[in-house]
Amino acid sequence: MSKTTLAIIAAVSAATGAGVTAAMYATRSEKKIQAAASATTVSATSTTSIPVPIPASRPLAKDIIPPVDPAGLFQYGFPGPVADLATRPALVSSFDRRLRNPTWVAEHITPASLAQSDGDRKHSVFAEDPSVPEKFRGKLKDYFRSGYDRGHQVPAADAKWSQDAMNDTFFLTNMCPQVGEGFNRDYWAHFEDFCRRLTTRYPSVRIVTGPLYLPKKDPTDGKWRVSYEVIGNPPNIAVPTHFYKVIFAEDGTTSGPVAVGAFVLPNAVIPNEKPLTDFEVPVEAVERASGLEFATKLPVQRRKRLCADTVCALVIKEYAERQKVFGKEATPKPVTAPTRTSPRNSNL
C-alpha cells in the first residue's frame, strides 16, 4: 500500500469514519485513471497496434428455434426494480421500495426563493406518500418510539416560498431515519444552513441529498460488511449508515463554471467543532457508493471544486438552546467552525 493511500485512509478515519469507503473508492479510481493514461500513452507511441479482444459470438443457426421464452414472464408483470419518481414544486425524489427510503432527493434554491416566507412548518404535517404503493411505503408508525428523527433530505427551511412547497418536504419519501440530538438537530442542521448561505455568493444552488449504506471493517476477522438497523413493527425502514450531499453552485449562466462539492457524513453524533472539510469527498466516491451518477453531462472544463472556490465552514447556531427558551425569542449564537484541508480534497 502506497504512502498516499495510507495518508488518505488515516485522514478519513479521523473524520468519524465518514468516508472510509469513499476514500477507498477514490483510491481505486485514481489507479484506474493512471492505468488508462498509461495505456493511452503506449498506444499513441507504439507503431504496433494492440489487438482488442472481442468475445466470440455463437449465433444460433437460422433453422434452430429456441425451446424457451424467458421474456414470457413479462406477460404477468415486470418484476422491477421500480424507482418511484415524484416531481413536486419543491423537490424531485426517487424512492427505494426495498429500503423504504429515498435514493436521492433534488432541490434548487436561490436568493429569491429563500427570501420569500409564505410557508410555515407549523401548518405542515408528516405524511405517508400516496404515490407509493401501500405495501412499499414508509409508515408514520415505523418511526414511533424508534429512537430516530424523521430526517428531512430537502429541509423545510428551503421551501418557505409557499405553504404547498413546504408541505412537499413533509412526505416520508423525503425522510430517512436520522440520529436526532448531535446530528439531525445539530451538525446536519448547520450543514443545511451552510447550503443556504451559499446563495449569498452563487445565484443558483442545486443540491442532491440521500442515504448511503456503507461497509464497515469487522475488527475480529478483518472482513468488510454492510450492517444497518431496520425500524418499524414489523421491521420496515432501513436506517442509513451515512448521508451524502452533492452540491452544484452555479454562476447563473448556462455555460459558466459550476462549483461542485460532495460530502459524506455518518449518521451519528458529530461534534459541532468538526470541520466540514473533513467530510468532503470526490463526487465519484459518492457515485461508486450509491450506484448513481450526478455530473455525466457537466464537462470537466466547467467544473470547479466548491471548497477551493469558497470557504466550506459551518456557522453554529444554538438551535437546541433556542428550543429550551419556551415562548421567548433567543438570538442564535454564531460560531464559525474551523476548516482543515484533507489530502483527499485536492480534486473533484
Side-chain angles (χ1 to χ4, degrees), residues 48-167:
T48 304
S49 60
I50 301 174
V52 179
I54 301 175
S57 59
R58 299 181 61 184
L60 291 173
K62 293 183 179 180
D63 57 343
I64 296 179
I65 299 176
V68 295
D69 178 22
L73 173 70
F74 301 152
Q75 67 183 304
Y76 308 120
F78 181 70
V82 173
D84 294 286
L85 189 67
T87 301
R88 298 186 162 101
L91 55 87
V92 180
S93 64
S94 177
F95 186 73
D96 186 326
R97 293 182 174 185
R98 183 175 69 88
L99 300 172
R100 270 66 166 183
N101 281 322
T103 304
W104 55 265
V105 190
E107 61 170 315
H108 181 213
I109 54 176
T110 66
S113 72
L114 295 178
Q116 294 180 249
S117 297
D118 296 325
D120 191 331
R121 66 179 298 146
K122 292 188 296 184
H123 303 307
S124 299
V125 295
F126 291 96
E128 297 172 12
D129 195 332
S131 68
V132 177
E134 195 275 339
K135 65 181 178 181
F136 297 125
R137 288 179 200 165
K139 306 293 179 61
L140 291 168
K141 66 179 182 180
D142 293 330
Y143 283 91
F144 182 66
R145 292 183 176 177
S146 69
Y148 292 96
D149 284 3
R150 292 166 291 198
H152 285 71
Q153 302 302 280
V154 169
D158 290 4
K160 290 182 178 180
W161 49 272
S162 84
Q163 189 60 50
D164 287 342
M166 179 162 287
N167 293 344

Side-chain angles (χ1 to χ4, degrees), residues 191-261:
F191 185 24
E192 293 172 334
D193 175 68
F194 162 77
C195 294
R196 285 189 288 273
R197 285 189 293 107
L198 287 174
T199 60
T200 62
R201 176 178 174 83
Y202 305 98
S204 173
V205 178
R206 302 182 189 276
I207 309 165
V208 188
T209 307
L212 292 173
Y213 310 85
L214 300 184
K216 184 178 181 180
K217 191 173 185 178
D218 191 321
T220 58
D221 60 12
K223 295 182 179 180
W224 293 81
R225 294 183 174 87
V226 176
S227 177
Y228 53 82
E229 185 180 349
V230 181
I231 62 172
N233 188 17
N236 194 43
I237 302 178
V239 179
T241 63
H242 295 72
F243 290 93
Y244 70 84
K245 279 187 183 290
V246 178
I247 302 170
F248 300 87
E250 304 168 340
D251 70 350
T253 67
T254 58
S255 58
V258 179
V260 183

Side-chain angles (χ1 to χ4, degrees), residues 237-314:
I237 302 178
V239 179
T241 63
H242 295 72
F243 290 93
Y244 70 84
K245 279 187 183 290
V246 178
I247 302 170
F248 300 87
E250 304 168 340
D251 70 350
T253 67
T254 58
S255 58
V258 179
V260 183
F263 303 84
V264 173
L265 283 66
N267 188 11
V269 174
I270 303 176
N272 285 335
E273 297 76 23
K274 196 76 171 171
L276 179 59
T277 50
D278 278 6
F279 302 107
E280 185 190 8
V281 299
V283 173
E284 189 181 45
V286 180
E287 292 179 331
R288 287 178 173 273
S290 64
L292 306 172
E293 292 184 310
F294 299 99
T296 56
K297 295 184 178 180
L298 179 61
V300 175
Q301 57 269 26
R302 288 185 58 198
R303 303 185 194 187
K304 296 190 296 183
R305 179 174 151 251
L306 179 67
C307 292
D309 196 54
T310 190
V311 177
C312 288
L314 303 182

